[in-house]
PDB file of all heavy atoms in Angstrom:
ATOM      1  N   PHE X  19       0.742  -1.189  -0.007  1.00 96.00           N
ATOM      2  CA  PHE X  19       0.029   0.026   0.043  1.00 96.00           C
ATOM      3  C   PHE X  19       0.829   1.217   0.069  1.00 96.00           C
ATOM      4  O   PHE X  19       0.535   2.263  -0.559  1.00 96.00           O
ATOM      5  CB  PHE X  19      -1.076   0.009   1.192  1.00 96.00           C
ATOM      6  CG  PHE X  19      -1.958  -1.018   1.187  1.00 96.00           C
ATOM      7  CD1 PHE X  19      -2.470  -1.655   2.368  1.00 96.00           C
ATOM      8  CD2 PHE X  19      -2.537  -1.600  -0.060  1.00 96.00           C
ATOM      9  CE1 PHE X  19      -3.458  -2.656   2.202  1.00 96.00           C
ATOM     10  CE2 PHE X  19      -3.442  -2.567  -0.046  1.00 96.00           C
ATOM     11  CZ  PHE X  19      -3.827  -3.064   0.917  1.00 96.00           C
ATOM     12  N   TYR X  20       1.935   1.231   0.621  1.00 96.00           N
ATOM     13  CA  TYR X  20       2.931   2.363   0.693  1.00 96.00           C
ATOM     14  C   TYR X  20       3.425   2.689  -0.749  1.00 96.00           C
ATOM     15  O   TYR X  20       3.384   3.853  -1.225  1.00 96.00           O
ATOM     16  CB  TYR X  20       4.045   2.144   1.512  1.00 96.00           C
ATOM     17  CG  TYR X  20       3.610   1.959   3.024  1.00 96.00           C
ATOM     18  CD1 TYR X  20       3.518   0.808   3.664  1.00 96.00           C
ATOM     19  CD2 TYR X  20       3.380   3.198   3.806  1.00 96.00           C
ATOM     20  CE1 TYR X  20       3.066   0.689   4.857  1.00 96.00           C
ATOM     21  CE2 TYR X  20       2.991   3.165   5.072  1.00 96.00           C
ATOM     22  CZ  TYR X  20       2.908   1.895   5.701  1.00 96.00           C
ATOM     23  OH  TYR X  20       2.450   1.619   7.028  1.00 96.00           O
ATOM     24  N   LYS X  21       3.722   1.548  -1.546  1.00 96.00           N
ATOM     25  CA  LYS X  21       4.263   1.740  -2.924  1.00 96.00           C
ATOM     26  C   LYS X  21       3.057   2.145  -3.788  1.00 96.00           C
ATOM     27  O   LYS X  21       3.322   3.103  -4.570  1.00 96.00           O
ATOM     28  CB  LYS X  21       4.665   0.386  -3.309  1.00 96.00           C
ATOM     29  CG  LYS X  21       5.383   0.462  -4.868  1.00 96.00           C
ATOM     30  CD  LYS X  21       5.989  -0.917  -5.219  1.00 96.00           C
ATOM     31  CE  LYS X  21       6.499  -0.876  -6.636  1.00 96.00           C
ATOM     32  NZ  LYS X  21       6.848  -2.124  -7.004  1.00 96.00           N
ATOM     33  N   ASP X  22       1.916   1.643  -3.512  1.00 95.00           N
ATOM     34  CA  ASP X  22       0.715   2.209  -4.385  1.00 95.00           C
ATOM     35  C   ASP X  22       0.630   3.719  -4.240  1.00 95.00           C
ATOM     36  O   ASP X  22       0.171   4.397  -5.217  1.00 95.00           O
ATOM     37  CB  ASP X  22      -0.519   1.573  -3.895  1.00 95.00           C
ATOM     38  CG  ASP X  22      -0.713   0.062  -4.385  1.00 95.00           C
ATOM     39  OD1 ASP X  22       0.121  -0.389  -5.163  1.00 95.00           O
ATOM     40  OD2 ASP X  22      -1.635  -0.698  -3.828  1.00 95.00           O
ATOM     41  N   LEU X  23       0.805   4.258  -2.908  1.00 96.00           N
ATOM     42  CA  LEU X  23       0.618   5.659  -2.809  1.00 96.00           C
ATOM     43  C   LEU X  23       1.848   6.366  -3.117  1.00 96.00           C
ATOM     44  O   LEU X  23       1.990   7.674  -3.034  1.00 96.00           O
ATOM     45  CB  LEU X  23       0.130   6.026  -1.384  1.00 96.00           C
ATOM     46  CG  LEU X  23      -1.180   5.561  -1.127  1.00 96.00           C
ATOM     47  CD1 LEU X  23      -1.608   5.700   0.250  1.00 96.00           C
ATOM     48  CD2 LEU X  23      -2.262   6.363  -1.924  1.00 96.00           C
ATOM     49  N   GLY X  24       3.088   5.688  -3.309  1.00 96.00           N
ATOM     50  CA  GLY X  24       4.290   6.353  -3.473  1.00 96.00           C
ATOM     51  C   GLY X  24       4.955   7.074  -2.251  1.00 96.00           C
ATOM     52  O   GLY X  24       5.528   8.211  -2.418  1.00 96.00           O
ATOM     53  N   VAL X  25       4.630   6.552  -1.135  1.00 97.00           N
ATOM     54  CA  VAL X  25       5.112   7.130   0.221  1.00 97.00           C
ATOM     55  C   VAL X  25       6.092   6.050   0.897  1.00 97.00           C
ATOM     56  O   VAL X  25       5.782   4.917   0.740  1.00 97.00           O
ATOM     57  CB  VAL X  25       3.913   7.673   1.055  1.00 97.00           C
ATOM     58  CG1 VAL X  25       3.264   8.761   0.443  1.00 97.00           C
ATOM     59  CG2 VAL X  25       2.990   6.520   1.444  1.00 97.00           C
ATOM     60  N   PRO X  26       6.912   6.615   1.757  1.00 97.00           N
ATOM     61  CA  PRO X  26       7.727   5.680   2.566  1.00 97.00           C
ATOM     62  C   PRO X  26       6.845   5.143   3.641  1.00 97.00           C
ATOM     63  O   PRO X  26       5.883   5.710   4.198  1.00 97.00           O
ATOM     64  CB  PRO X  26       8.950   6.508   3.130  1.00 97.00           C
ATOM     65  CG  PRO X  26       8.312   7.914   3.188  1.00 97.00           C
ATOM     66  CD  PRO X  26       7.305   8.037   1.945  1.00 97.00           C
ATOM     67  N   ARG X  27       7.383   3.984   4.379  1.00 95.00           N
ATOM     68  CA  ARG X  27       6.730   3.410   5.586  1.00 95.00           C
ATOM     69  C   ARG X  27       6.587   4.325   6.642  1.00 95.00           C
ATOM     70  O   ARG X  27       5.714   4.114   7.485  1.00 95.00           O
ATOM     71  CB  ARG X  27       7.264   2.139   5.843  1.00 95.00           C
ATOM     72  CG  ARG X  27       7.084   0.991   4.911  1.00 95.00           C
ATOM     73  CD  ARG X  27       7.432  -0.256   5.505  1.00 95.00           C
ATOM     74  NE  ARG X  27       7.036  -1.458   4.661  1.00 95.00           N
ATOM     75  CZ  ARG X  27       5.804  -1.955   4.609  1.00 95.00           C
ATOM     76  NH1 ARG X  27       4.974  -1.530   5.681  1.00 95.00           N
ATOM     77  NH2 ARG X  27       5.546  -2.948   3.881  1.00 95.00           N
ATOM     78  N   THR X  28       7.388   5.380   6.683  1.00 96.00           N
ATOM     79  CA  THR X  28       7.466   6.268   7.798  1.00 96.00           C
ATOM     80  C   THR X  28       6.594   7.628   7.481  1.00 96.00           C
ATOM     81  O   THR X  28       6.741   8.465   8.299  1.00 96.00           O
ATOM     82  CB  THR X  28       8.854   6.829   8.117  1.00 96.00           C
ATOM     83  OG1 THR X  28       9.364   7.332   6.837  1.00 96.00           O
ATOM     84  CG2 THR X  28       9.815   5.640   8.508  1.00 96.00           C
ATOM     85  N   ALA X  29       5.791   7.494   6.579  1.00 97.00           N
ATOM     86  CA  ALA X  29       5.042   8.751   6.073  1.00 97.00           C
ATOM     87  C   ALA X  29       4.068   9.057   7.209  1.00 97.00           C
ATOM     88  O   ALA X  29       3.451   8.198   7.736  1.00 97.00           O
ATOM     89  CB  ALA X  29       4.316   8.388   4.817  1.00 97.00           C
ATOM     90  N   THR X  30       3.782  10.358   7.424  1.00 96.00           N
ATOM     91  CA  THR X  30       2.880  10.800   8.331  1.00 96.00           C
ATOM     92  C   THR X  30       1.422  10.757   7.667  1.00 96.00           C
ATOM     93  O   THR X  30       1.337  10.563   6.383  1.00 96.00           O
ATOM     94  CB  THR X  30       3.129  12.294   8.693  1.00 96.00           C
ATOM     95  OG1 THR X  30       2.938  13.095   7.509  1.00 96.00           O
ATOM     96  CG2 THR X  30       4.526  12.473   9.280  1.00 96.00           C
ATOM     97  N   GLU X  31       0.375  10.920   8.515  1.00 97.00           N
ATOM     98  CA  GLU X  31      -0.875  10.966   7.985  1.00 97.00           C
ATOM     99  C   GLU X  31      -1.204  12.089   7.078  1.00 97.00           C
ATOM    100  O   GLU X  31      -1.841  11.845   5.883  1.00 97.00           O
ATOM    101  CB  GLU X  31      -1.967  11.170   9.094  1.00 97.00           C
ATOM    102  CG  GLU X  31      -3.390  11.100   8.817  1.00 97.00           C
ATOM    103  CD  GLU X  31      -4.392  11.172   9.948  1.00 97.00           C
ATOM    104  OE1 GLU X  31      -3.838  10.566  10.964  1.00 97.00           O
ATOM    105  OE2 GLU X  31      -5.261  11.983   9.793  1.00 97.00           O
ATOM    106  N   SER X  32      -0.518  13.120   7.049  1.00 97.00           N
ATOM    107  CA  SER X  32      -0.721  14.269   6.174  1.00 97.00           C
ATOM    108  C   SER X  32      -0.003  14.000   4.929  1.00 97.00           C
ATOM    109  O   SER X  32      -0.497  14.342   3.770  1.00 97.00           O
ATOM    110  CB  SER X  32      -0.263  15.580   6.752  1.00 97.00           C
ATOM    111  OG  SER X  32       1.119  15.575   6.998  1.00 97.00           O
ATOM    112  N   GLU X  33       1.149  13.272   4.965  1.00 97.00           N
ATOM    113  CA  GLU X  33       1.901  12.898   3.705  1.00 97.00           C
ATOM    114  C   GLU X  33       1.033  11.871   2.883  1.00 97.00           C
ATOM    115  O   GLU X  33       0.979  11.890   1.609  1.00 97.00           O
ATOM    116  CB  GLU X  33       3.222  12.272   4.027  1.00 97.00           C
ATOM    117  CG  GLU X  33       4.230  13.433   4.530  1.00 97.00           C
ATOM    118  CD  GLU X  33       5.553  12.582   5.033  1.00 97.00           C
ATOM    119  OE1 GLU X  33       5.489  11.635   5.612  1.00 97.00           O
ATOM    120  OE2 GLU X  33       6.609  13.323   4.979  1.00 97.00           O
ATOM    121  N   ILE X  34       0.410  10.948   3.534  1.00 97.00           N
ATOM    122  CA  ILE X  34      -0.404   9.900   3.000  1.00 97.00           C
ATOM    123  C   ILE X  34      -1.616  10.563   2.311  1.00 97.00           C
ATOM    124  O   ILE X  34      -2.072  10.313   1.196  1.00 97.00           O
ATOM    125  CB  ILE X  34      -0.770   8.864   4.114  1.00 97.00           C
ATOM    126  CG1 ILE X  34       0.417   8.017   4.419  1.00 97.00           C
ATOM    127  CG2 ILE X  34      -1.924   7.860   3.401  1.00 97.00           C
ATOM    128  CD1 ILE X  34       0.202   7.126   5.596  1.00 97.00           C
ATOM    129  N   ARG X  35      -2.204  11.438   3.151  1.00 97.00           N
ATOM    130  CA  ARG X  35      -3.490  12.159   2.540  1.00 97.00           C
ATOM    131  C   ARG X  35      -3.115  12.975   1.400  1.00 97.00           C
ATOM    132  O   ARG X  35      -3.856  12.944   0.322  1.00 97.00           O
ATOM    133  CB  ARG X  35      -4.020  13.014   3.656  1.00 97.00           C
ATOM    134  CG  ARG X  35      -5.432  13.434   3.437  1.00 97.00           C
ATOM    135  CD  ARG X  35      -5.981  14.237   4.577  1.00 97.00           C
ATOM    136  NE  ARG X  35      -5.864  13.548   5.838  1.00 97.00           N
ATOM    137  CZ  ARG X  35      -6.727  12.636   6.314  1.00 97.00           C
ATOM    138  NH1 ARG X  35      -7.720  12.299   5.559  1.00 97.00           N
ATOM    139  NH2 ARG X  35      -6.650  12.013   7.442  1.00 97.00           N
ATOM    140  N   LYS X  36      -2.027  13.678   1.295  1.00 98.00           N
ATOM    141  CA  LYS X  36      -1.580  14.443   0.221  1.00 98.00           C
ATOM    142  C   LYS X  36      -1.331  13.448  -1.013  1.00 98.00           C
ATOM    143  O   LYS X  36      -1.737  13.794  -2.163  1.00 98.00           O
ATOM    144  CB  LYS X  36      -0.272  15.309   0.549  1.00 98.00           C
ATOM    145  CG  LYS X  36       0.106  16.145  -0.562  1.00 98.00           C
ATOM    146  CD  LYS X  36       1.417  16.998  -0.126  1.00 98.00           C
ATOM    147  CE  LYS X  36       1.875  17.844  -1.188  1.00 98.00           C
ATOM    148  NZ  LYS X  36       3.064  18.702  -0.821  1.00 98.00           N
ATOM    149  N   ALA X  37      -0.582  12.467  -0.810  1.00 97.00           N
ATOM    150  CA  ALA X  37      -0.345  11.508  -1.799  1.00 97.00           C
ATOM    151  C   ALA X  37      -1.606  10.989  -2.513  1.00 97.00           C
ATOM    152  O   ALA X  37      -1.760  10.897  -3.726  1.00 97.00           O
ATOM    153  CB  ALA X  37       0.619  10.483  -1.505  1.00 97.00           C
ATOM    154  N   TYR X  38      -2.537  10.678  -1.553  1.00 97.00           N
ATOM    155  CA  TYR X  38      -3.778  10.079  -2.107  1.00 97.00           C
ATOM    156  C   TYR X  38      -4.598  11.069  -2.961  1.00 97.00           C
ATOM    157  O   TYR X  38      -5.145  10.747  -3.950  1.00 97.00           O
ATOM    158  CB  TYR X  38      -4.734   9.663  -0.878  1.00 97.00           C
ATOM    159  CG  TYR X  38      -6.069   9.433  -1.324  1.00 97.00           C
ATOM    160  CD1 TYR X  38      -6.392   8.348  -2.049  1.00 97.00           C
ATOM    161  CD2 TYR X  38      -7.085  10.384  -0.909  1.00 97.00           C
ATOM    162  CE1 TYR X  38      -7.729   8.146  -2.524  1.00 97.00           C
ATOM    163  CE2 TYR X  38      -8.449   9.980  -1.404  1.00 97.00           C
ATOM    164  CZ  TYR X  38      -8.697   9.044  -2.104  1.00 97.00           C
ATOM    165  OH  TYR X  38     -10.032   8.801  -2.463  1.00 97.00           O
ATOM    166  N   ARG X  39      -4.698  12.382  -2.422  1.00 97.00           N
ATOM    167  CA  ARG X  39      -5.406  13.328  -3.175  1.00 97.00           C
ATOM    168  C   ARG X  39      -4.918  13.560  -4.672  1.00 97.00           C
ATOM    169  O   ARG X  39      -5.555  13.640  -5.545  1.00 97.00           O
ATOM    170  CB  ARG X  39      -5.374  14.612  -2.437  1.00 97.00           C
ATOM    171  CG  ARG X  39      -6.326  14.682  -1.203  1.00 97.00           C
ATOM    172  CD  ARG X  39      -6.350  16.075  -0.604  1.00 97.00           C
ATOM    173  NE  ARG X  39      -7.081  16.098   0.634  1.00 97.00           N
ATOM    174  CZ  ARG X  39      -6.550  16.602   1.705  1.00 97.00           C
ATOM    175  NH1 ARG X  39      -5.355  17.124   1.672  1.00 97.00           N
ATOM    176  NH2 ARG X  39      -7.039  16.418   2.900  1.00 97.00           N
ATOM    177  N   ASN X  40      -3.544  13.586  -4.659  1.00 97.00           N
ATOM    178  CA  ASN X  40      -2.814  13.800  -5.977  1.00 97.00           C
ATOM    179  C   ASN X  40      -3.106  12.610  -6.912  1.00 97.00           C
ATOM    180  O   ASN X  40      -3.460  12.824  -8.112  1.00 97.00           O
ATOM    181  CB  ASN X  40      -1.329  13.976  -5.848  1.00 97.00           C
ATOM    182  CG  ASN X  40      -1.024  15.289  -5.230  1.00 97.00           C
ATOM    183  OD1 ASN X  40      -1.661  16.214  -5.391  1.00 97.00           O
ATOM    184  ND2 ASN X  40       0.195  15.289  -4.520  1.00 97.00           N
ATOM    185  N   LEU X  41      -2.859  11.442  -6.452  1.00 97.00           N
ATOM    186  CA  LEU X  41      -3.191  10.292  -7.260  1.00 97.00           C
ATOM    187  C   LEU X  41      -4.661  10.052  -7.593  1.00 97.00           C
ATOM    188  O   LEU X  41      -4.994   9.679  -8.705  1.00 97.00           O
ATOM    189  CB  LEU X  41      -2.602   8.913  -6.609  1.00 97.00           C
ATOM    190  CG  LEU X  41      -1.062   8.926  -6.482  1.00 97.00           C
ATOM    191  CD1 LEU X  41      -0.626   7.797  -5.626  1.00 97.00           C
ATOM    192  CD2 LEU X  41      -0.446   8.892  -7.776  1.00 97.00           C
ATOM    193  N   ALA X  42      -5.519  10.289  -6.657  1.00 96.00           N
ATOM    194  CA  ALA X  42      -6.982  10.180  -6.905  1.00 96.00           C
ATOM    195  C   ALA X  42      -7.476  11.043  -8.065  1.00 96.00           C
ATOM    196  O   ALA X  42      -8.226  10.798  -8.914  1.00 96.00           O
ATOM    197  CB  ALA X  42      -7.782  10.451  -5.608  1.00 96.00           C
ATOM    198  N   ARG X  43      -6.881  12.284  -7.960  1.00 96.00           N
ATOM    199  CA  ARG X  43      -7.229  13.332  -8.940  1.00 96.00           C
ATOM    200  C   ARG X  43      -6.710  12.707 -10.415  1.00 96.00           C
ATOM    201  O   ARG X  43      -7.326  13.033 -11.329  1.00 96.00           O
ATOM    202  CB  ARG X  43      -6.560  14.683  -8.597  1.00 96.00           C
ATOM    203  CG  ARG X  43      -7.040  15.943  -9.394  1.00 96.00           C
ATOM    204  CD  ARG X  43      -6.575  17.153  -8.869  1.00 96.00           C
ATOM    205  NE  ARG X  43      -6.596  17.425  -7.464  1.00 96.00           N
ATOM    206  CZ  ARG X  43      -5.649  17.554  -6.515  1.00 96.00           C
ATOM    207  NH1 ARG X  43      -4.316  17.640  -6.882  1.00 96.00           N
ATOM    208  NH2 ARG X  43      -5.809  17.726  -5.276  1.00 96.00           N
ATOM    209  N   LYS X  44      -5.591  12.241 -10.368  1.00 96.00           N
ATOM    210  CA  LYS X  44      -4.837  11.959 -11.610  1.00 96.00           C
ATOM    211  C   LYS X  44      -5.568  10.700 -12.233  1.00 96.00           C
ATOM    212  O   LYS X  44      -5.761  10.573 -13.357  1.00 96.00           O
ATOM    213  CB  LYS X  44      -3.403  11.391 -11.333  1.00 96.00           C
ATOM    214  CG  LYS X  44      -2.587  10.975 -12.500  1.00 96.00           C
ATOM    215  CD  LYS X  44      -1.251  10.633 -12.185  1.00 96.00           C
ATOM    216  CE  LYS X  44      -0.520  10.099 -13.402  1.00 96.00           C
ATOM    217  NZ  LYS X  44       0.911   9.837 -12.997  1.00 96.00           N
ATOM    218  N   TYR X  45      -6.043   9.670 -11.432  1.00 96.00           N
ATOM    219  CA  TYR X  45      -6.646   8.560 -11.941  1.00 96.00           C
ATOM    220  C   TYR X  45      -8.185   8.428 -11.770  1.00 96.00           C
ATOM    221  O   TYR X  45      -8.715   7.385 -12.092  1.00 96.00           O
ATOM    222  CB  TYR X  45      -6.038   7.194 -11.287  1.00 96.00           C
ATOM    223  CG  TYR X  45      -4.645   7.059 -11.482  1.00 96.00           C
ATOM    224  CD1 TYR X  45      -3.635   7.247 -10.496  1.00 96.00           C
ATOM    225  CD2 TYR X  45      -4.156   6.660 -12.792  1.00 96.00           C
ATOM    226  CE1 TYR X  45      -2.289   7.139 -10.798  1.00 96.00           C
ATOM    227  CE2 TYR X  45      -2.824   6.616 -13.034  1.00 96.00           C
ATOM    228  CZ  TYR X  45      -1.857   6.660 -12.107  1.00 96.00           C
ATOM    229  OH  TYR X  45      -0.498   6.570 -12.321  1.00 96.00           O
TER     230      TYR X  45
END
């Protein structure tokens, strides 16, 4: 799941949320 979002395992909640928003918008 970390790779799917392009974030490291140490990612914070805000980093995960930001990555999700960008990818969700793209796809």
Side-chain angles (χ1 to χ4, degrees):
F19 294 149
Y20 295 99
K21 185 177 177 185
D22 286 349
L23 291 174
V25 296
R27 287 193 171 274
T28 57
T30 65
E31 186 177 315
S32 64
E33 290 171 325
I34 292 168
R35 198 174 304 280
K36 182 178 179 181
Y38 166 70
R39 284 189 194 124
N40 288 334
L41 292 171
R43 195 174 309 121
K44 179 178 179 179
Y45 294 112

